Amino acid sequence: MIFPCILSGGVGSRLWPLSRKDRPKQFLPLFEGESLFQKTCKRVRQLGFADPIVIGSNTHRFQMGEQLAELGIAATSILLEPVGRNTAPPALMAAIVAAEIDPDALILLLPSDHLIRKEDVFLETVRSAENAARDGSIVTFGITPTEPNTGYGYIKVAPGETPVRAVEKFVEKPDLDRAKAFLDDGSYVWNAGIFLYSADTMINAFKSHQPDLFKAVSEVMETRHGDLDFTRLDETRFAELDDISIDYAIMEKAQNVSCAPVAPEWDDLGSWSAIWTVLDKDERGNSGLGDTRFLESRNCLAYSQQGLVSVIGLEDVMVIATSDSVLVAHKNSAQDVKRVVDQLKAEGRDEVDRHTRAYKPWGYTERINAGERFAVQSMMIKPGQRVSLQSHLHRTEHWIVVSGTVEITIDSQTSLLTENQSAYVPLGARHTLHNPGKIPVRMIEVQSGTYLAEDDIVRHTD
C-alpha cells in the first residue's frame, strides 16, 4: 500500500496579496474552483493508495479539514505542526505513522502546492518506481526541464533508459549560464521535492545519517494526542527539532538514492507569472480571474477578489486586487513581489499575514470597515456549528441577522433570532451563537469600545 503524505506548510509569499500567512497559495481556489491542496489530494485518490497522511501548520488546520471534507476524503492522519521545521521531520513522521499501520508501507511525499497537468503520466511514473522503493531505494522524481530555470535545484542522473536511475549529484539553484548548460547536457532534471520510499528505509536512513534528529522526532511522536479530527504534538519539543530539508538531511548523504525522470507538465506556481502561464487565455493572451476586463492589452493577468478590474493599453502586466490590497507589476518582476512582502513585514503591516476573511472552525468572519472605537464585520456560521462561549473586557457587540436562524445566549438568556432581527451584547456579558438549522447563518456584527483587537476574548468554553 502507498501512503500519500501531503505536506502543507508553505506560505507562497510571491503570490501576495492573495497568498498570505493565514491562507497561503495551496488553499486558494484558483483552478476550476479547487485549490492546489485539493488537487494534490485528488491526484492520489487511486486504487492502491491509502487515505492521505496530511502534515501541515496548526494555523491552517480548519482549512485542511474543510477542504478534505469538500472532497469526501477522510485522512489517515492530520498531523499539526506547531511551527515550521522544513521537510526532513515530516518525512520521518510520515514513515512512523505509516509503519504503525503497515510495516511494508511505501510513502509518497508530496508538496501540496504543485500543479501537475498530466496526472496520468505522473502516476504511471510512480508505479514504475514502486519496485525500486520496495527494494530499499529512496526515489526522487525529477522533472524534465523545459527551460533554463534558475529557481529550481537540479539533479544529475545517470545515463540510460530505465524508469529509475542512479543519482550522480544534487546541484543548488544555478545561475543562468549554468542552467543553460544543464539544459543542453540533457542529463539534468529539476528537483521537484517529491519522494517515494518505504517506511523502513526512511527510518533506517535517519538512524544512520541523522541519529539525533531521529531520536528527537521519535520523542515528539510519542507526545501525539487527538483534538477533534487532528493530531497534535508537544509544541516545546517540536520547536526544538532541526529546521532542515530532506535533501540536506538524507538525500545528499545516503547511497541508496535514485531518480525517476518524468515530464508531467509540472509547475510549483511560485509566482504570478507562473499562474498566468497555466490559465486559459483570450486571443490576445490575457487571463482574467474574477470580474475583469481587457481593452487593447496583451499577455496580461488580472485578478479581482471583489469589484471590477479593467486593464487598458498594457502589455505583460499583472494586476492583482484583493479587498484590501492591489498589486501592479510587470511579469518580468514577478519574483520581486517577495521584496514588497519583506518591506511590509518590517513595517508590521497586517496585509502580509491576514486576509479580511478569517476562517474559523464554525465558519468565517470578514472585516467590512473599522475606525476609531468601532469595527464592522460579517459572519457566517455553518449548520450545526457553535461559537465558543466568551466575553469581552473592552467592547460591546451588536448582532443583526441577515439570513438563517441563530440561537443566541447572552448570560443566562437564550432566544432565537431570524432575518432582520438583532441583539445587543453588553460589556462583560458571556455570550455564544449556535446555528441549529440546515442552512448557513449570515450576520453583521458591529463592535464598539476602547480596544477591539482579537485578543480581547475571554473564552469560557471552546
Side-chain angles (χ1 to χ4, degrees):
M1 183 72 72
I2 299 177
F3 286 78
C5 177
I6 315 296
L7 301 183
S8 181
V11 175
S13 58
R14 289 179 179 83
L15 291 182
W16 183 86
L18 194 56
S19 179
R20 304 187 189 185
K21 186 176 179 180
D22 66 353
R23 199 180 197 207
K25 70 172 182 177
Q26 62 265 32
F27 299 116
L28 303 174
L30 294 177
F31 306 96
E32 293 112 27
E34 292 183 337
S35 69
L36 291 171
F37 175 82
Q38 289 177 311
K39 285 188 170 295
T40 304
C41 292
K42 284 176 63 177
R43 186 175 304 134
V44 289
R45 204 175 186 187
Q46 306 284 333
L47 185 64
F49 286 84
D51 289 329
I53 300 167
V54 178
I55 303 179
S57 170
N58 174 62
T59 304
H60 307 139
R61 62 194 182 279
F62 297 115
Q63 294 180 67
M64 291 187 289
E66 184 170 299
Q67 293 202 358
L68 285 168
E70 287 176 0
L71 300 177
I73 295 177
T76 295
S77 180
I78 304 177
L79 286 162
L80 301 180
E81 296 179 297
V83 293
R85 282 298 175 262
N86 219 305
T87 55
L92 178 56
M93 290 157 59
I96 292 171
V97 171
E100 292 172 347
I101 300 169
D102 177 5
D104 298 321
L106 296 182
I107 292 93
L108 179 63
L109 198 68
L110 293 163
S112 63
D113 57 355
H114 293 178
L115 182 67
I116 294 177
R117 291 186 287 280
K118 291 185 176 180
E119 296 189 340
D120 55 337
V121 172
F122 172 73
L123 291 171
E124 183 180 344
T125 304
V126 171
R127 298 292 191 193
S128 70
E130 276 192 62
N131 287 338
R134 294 198 185 281
D135 289 341
S137 183
I138 303 174
V139 182
T140 181
F141 293 85
I143 306 300
T144 304
T146 56
E147 61 180 2
N149 197 300
T150 60
Y152 304 136
Y154 284 71
I155 303 169
K156 182 174 174 59
V157 297
E161 299 297 327
T162 57
V164 180
R165 302 179 220 163
V167 170
E168 295 190 354
K169 63 179 177 179
F170 290 90
V171 184
E172 295 289 339
K173 296 175 182 177
D175 59 27
L176 184 58
D177 288 340
R178 290 187 75 205
K180 289 178 178 177
F182 292 164
L183 191 65
D184 293 339
D185 182 282
S187 62
Y188 288 84
V189 292
W190 290 334
N191 187 349
I194 302 172
F195 306 94
L196 181 69
Y197 52 86
S198 74
D200 186 59
T201 295
M202 187 57 69
I203 289 170
N204 288 332
F206 270 84
K207 287 179 178 179
S208 297
H209 303 292
Q210 298 289 338
D212 292 341
L213 184 55
F214 173 79
K215 182 175 183 292
V217 171
S218 298
E219 290 174 352
V220 166
M221 292 296 280
E222 290 175 1
T223 71
R224 280 175 286 174
H225 56 282
D227 178 10
L228 300 176
D229 295 329
F230 310 107
T231 300
R232 291 190 177 274
L233 304 163
D234 182 83
E235 183 172 354
T236 301
R237 290 191 178 184
F238 194 92
E240 293 171 349
L241 296 178
D242 291 340
D243 187 349
I244 186 171
S245 72
I246 186 66
D247 293 288
Y248 285 127
I250 301 296
M251 302 301 286
E252 295 183 5
K253 295 179 171 63
Q255 300 301 309
N256 56 331
V257 173
S258 57
C259 180
V262 60
E265 293 189 7
W266 168 93
D267 202 308
D268 72 346
L269 298 179
S271 67
W272 280 112
S273 59
I275 294 287
W276 171 81
T277 63
V278 302
L279 294 176
D280 292 335
K281 301 171 182 62
D282 65 17
E283 65 278 2
R284 291 176 174 262
N286 300 305
S287 293
L289 293 168
D291 194 1
T292 59
R293 299 291 186 275
F294 299 94
L295 180 63
E296 301 300 327
S297 297
R298 298 179 63 84
N299 300 325
C300 290
L301 169 65
Y303 171 85
S304 171
Q305 191 173 62
Q306 63 183 40
L308 171 64
V309 170
S310 297
V311 179
I312 303 173
L314 297 177
E315 186 170 349
D316 294 322
V317 167
M318 311 175 298
V319 182
I320 313 300
T322 67
S323 58
D324 63 349
S325 300
V326 178
L327 168 72
V328 181
H330 193 279
K331 285 193 304 190
N332 291 345
S333 300
Q335 297 295 330
D336 292 331
V337 173
K338 189 176 185 300
R339 294 172 56 190
V340 175
V341 172
D342 290 341
Q343 289 177 8
L344 295 174
K345 281 182 181 178
E347 297 169 12
R349 296 287 297 255
D350 280 349
E351 293 91 340
V352 174
D353 293 334
R354 288 187 286 276
H355 285 274
T356 55
R357 177 176 290 190
Y359 287 87
K360 311 289 185 179
W362 42 262
Y364 64 78
T365 62
E366 187 161 10
R367 186 173 69 249
I368 297 173
N369 199 1
E372 187 177 355
R373 297 181 60 89
F374 82 92
V376 183
Q377 66 179 11
S378 63
M379 301 174 64
M380 187 279 285
I381 306 173
K382 294 182 286 190
Q385 296 298 307
R386 182 184 299 275
V387 179
S388 62
L389 181 65
Q390 58 189 252
S391 60
H392 308 290
L393 299 176
H394 302 286
R395 76 177 187 237
T396 63
E397 295 176 341
H398 190 182
W399 297 326
I400 305 98
V401 179
V402 176
S403 62
T405 299
V406 63
E407 179 186 81
I408 68 167
T409 300
I410 302 174
D411 286 330
S412 57
Q413 298 275 330
T414 298
S415 58
L416 290 176
L417 293 183
T418 189
E419 195 170 314
N420 291 325
Q421 295 183 318
S422 63
Y424 173 73
V425 183
L427 188 72
R430 295 189 178 198
H431 57 278
T432 184
L433 296 160
H434 171 229
N435 180 356
K438 302 296 185 183
I439 62 172
V441 167
R442 301 187 185 277
M443 303 171 55
I444 300 295
E445 179 181 84
V446 180
Q447 304 170 357
S448 60
T450 56
Y451 184 78
L452 303 175
E454 277 296 296
D455 56 0
D456 180 29
I457 297 179
V458 179
R459 298 191 192 278
H460 305 285
T461 62
D462 192 358

